[in-house]
Amino acid sequence: MTDNEHEIEQPDERVPKRVIGTPPPGTSMLGTVEAPRAEEEVPGVTLQDEAKARKAEKIVALCFVITFLAAIAFIISYVVFQVGSPEATGASNLALGSSLTVAILSLAIGIVIWVRQIMPKYSLVQERHLMVSDEEDRGVVGRTFVEGANESGFVKRKLLRRTLLLGAAPLGLIPLVLLRDLDNTKMPGSQFNKLLRHTVWGEKTKEGKPLRLVVEGTGQPIRAADFNSPGGILSVVPEGYEHDLNALAKATLILIKFRPEELKSGVRQNWTHDGIVAYSKICTHVGCPAALYEQNTHHILCPCHQSTFDAADGAKVIFGPAARPLPQLPITVDAEGYLVAQGDFEVPVGPSYWERGDAEAEARAKGGQA
């Protein structure tokens, strides 16, 4: 065995070391590396200035690093900020929304700068020509049209032509009628808008007396003297309509007993009786029953989308997607001491709809709640 056979082959130190995130030597992300060629000028292609491109490269890299950090912050926020109260839910939404916004925005900015300041610019020219058919083609089309009209009898048979035009004329008016119907306040005989604006609380009994408030489910009238525990809450419906689902869809109430000093300026005092306030139970977001009540904070919570209302301040929205307060119903007591409605709600109940703004304007003109 010769000395050469005992020699150990040493690695070639000139071979470049592979860096993490790069392809092996001799290949590229798109395949085998070709021999470098001198840059050739290609018509319509403008290469970016190398100095500006390197500067833009650093900005893009910074944007991508920010995206990474913001995405990590989103994951951490999801774990750290636990929901369970309006305050905790608000903090969680703020942290998650802010971090996700920064991550997506920085990624988008980096990609835009990459495309506009690093990649080559192309000038593309699209050749166009006149879109006019030659005389022969136009002649063929004209003759075909005339032959078809003659064969159909549209010109010869006047009865068919006139009845066709007669039948098609109203079809052109249908879109105008449908668009006109959007203004329900001016359509003769339309009751849609009226039904949305008003509830049965504005009606009277057969004896001409105002409707009493009765407990939902039992139909028991409510005597104000018996409903005297501060913090108490009842689900209430109008007497005589306990089983009318269409009426209850708008007229169901929540009745809350307050201490007089707990009521704030948002509550219409002349619509209350001895600290008893009646609000619509229909959430002003999408119409879910808002009946969860937190006695210590006087907050009414809608379980569908977590809209929260301050019952001590006119049921104003303090959290969630609802856009306006729960309407307050004016109440008083009758001669026997039972709670009754003074009249209907001054503003429409439930979610907003197309003409609700007109009703709001009328209420403001009367000095009602907005």
Side-chain angles (χ1 to χ4, degrees):
M1 185 177 296
T2 64
D3 294 339
N4 293 336
E5 292 178 345
H6 291 282
E7 293 180 357
I8 299 175
E9 184 178 355
Q10 299 295 328
D12 189 356
E13 296 181 354
R14 293 173 298 174
V15 177
K17 295 182 179 180
R18 182 181 177 185
V19 181
I20 296 177
T22 61
T27 61
S28 69
M29 298 296 291
L30 302 179
T32 305
V33 176
E34 297 181 357
R37 296 178 300 176
E39 293 185 357
E40 301 177 358
E41 292 188 2
V42 180
V45 180
T46 303
L47 300 178
Q48 299 282 4
D49 180 74
E50 184 61 23
K52 294 181 178 180
R54 288 186 177 278
K55 183 177 179 181
E57 181 181 3
K58 295 178 181 179
I59 298 176
V60 173
L62 176 61
C63 291
F64 292 164
V65 171
I66 294 175
T67 299
F68 168 77
L69 296 176
I72 296 298
F74 178 90
I75 298 173
I76 296 175
S77 300
Y78 186 83
V79 176
V80 172
F81 293 96
Q82 299 296 322
V83 298
S85 67
E87 293 77 11
T89 303
S92 175
N93 290 342
L94 179 61
L96 294 176
S98 301
S99 57
L100 185 60
T101 299
V102 172
I104 296 177
L105 184 61
S106 58
L107 179 63
I109 293 175
I111 293 176
V112 170
I113 296 177
W114 187 344
V115 172
R116 296 181 63 87
Q117 299 187 19
I118 298 179
M119 297 179 64
K121 295 182 179 181
Y122 289 81
S123 299
L124 302 179
V125 178
Q126 181 180 6
E127 297 183 359
R128 298 185 179 182
H129 54 83
L130 295 178
M131 303 295 291
V132 180
S133 301
D134 55 34
E135 292 293 336
E136 182 179 356
D137 292 337
R138 285 187 285 177
V140 171
V141 172
R143 289 192 298 271
T144 302
F145 179 81
V146 173
E147 292 174 0
N150 293 332
E151 292 175 357
S152 67
F154 185 81
V155 178
K156 179 180 179 181
R157 303 182 185 278
K158 298 180 180 180
L159 179 62
L160 293 178
R161 181 175 71 252
R162 292 172 180 175
T163 52
L164 173 62
L165 296 176
L166 179 66
L171 295 177
L173 299 177
I174 289 178
L176 300 179
V177 175
L178 295 177
L179 292 174
R180 180 67 174 82
D181 193 44
L182 292 175
D183 190 357
N184 294 295
T185 59
K186 299 179 181 179
M187 282 294 293
S190 175
Q191 299 296 317
F192 178 74
N193 191 29
K194 180 180 178 181
L195 291 174
L196 290 177
R197 290 194 184 196
H198 303 288
T199 70
V200 296
W201 287 113
E203 300 181 6
K204 304 291 184 180
T205 63
K206 294 180 180 180
E207 295 78 16
K209 298 180 179 180
L211 297 180
R212 284 180 173 177
L213 282 65
V214 299
V215 179
E216 183 179 15
T218 66
Q220 178 68 33
I222 305 168
R223 194 186 298 270
D226 298 334
F227 189 57
N228 55 11
S229 177
I233 180 172
L234 288 174
S235 184
V236 175
V237 296
E239 187 178 27
Y241 294 90
E242 295 90 340
H243 305 290
D244 188 340
L245 298 182
N246 289 328
L248 297 182
K250 298 180 295 179
T252 306
L253 305 174
I254 48 176
L255 201 67
I256 305 175
K257 170 67 175 180
F258 291 94
R259 295 182 179 86
E261 64 272 13
E262 293 175 335
L263 295 178
K264 301 178 183 178
S265 59
V267 178
R268 299 283 291 272
Q269 297 286 348
N270 58 335
W271 288 1
T272 68
H273 178 80
D274 193 24
I276 301 175
V277 186
Y279 293 115
S280 171
K281 190 178 179 179
I282 314 304
C283 181
T284 54
H285 178 218
V286 292
C288 296
L292 300 180
Y293 182 64
E294 190 176 34
Q295 186 178 21
N296 294 333
T297 61
H298 309 301
H299 290 171
I300 302 172
L301 176 67
C302 178
C304 291
H305 305 96
Q306 288 72 53
S307 292
T308 307
F309 309 86
D310 188 355
D313 196 15
K316 293 181 179 178
V317 181
I318 58 176
F319 180 79
R324 60 191 184 97
L326 297 174
Q328 181 183 350
L329 182 75
I331 61 174
T332 185
V333 293
D334 58 16
E336 301 178 40
Y338 289 102
L339 292 172
V340 297
Q342 296 185 36
D344 201 358
F345 293 99
E346 199 168 63
V347 294
V349 302
S352 301
Y353 58 94
W354 189 269
E355 292 87 2
R356 201 188 71 81
D358 297 334
E360 292 288 319
E362 294 176 5
R364 286 193 294 269
K366 296 178 182 178
Q369 67 185 52

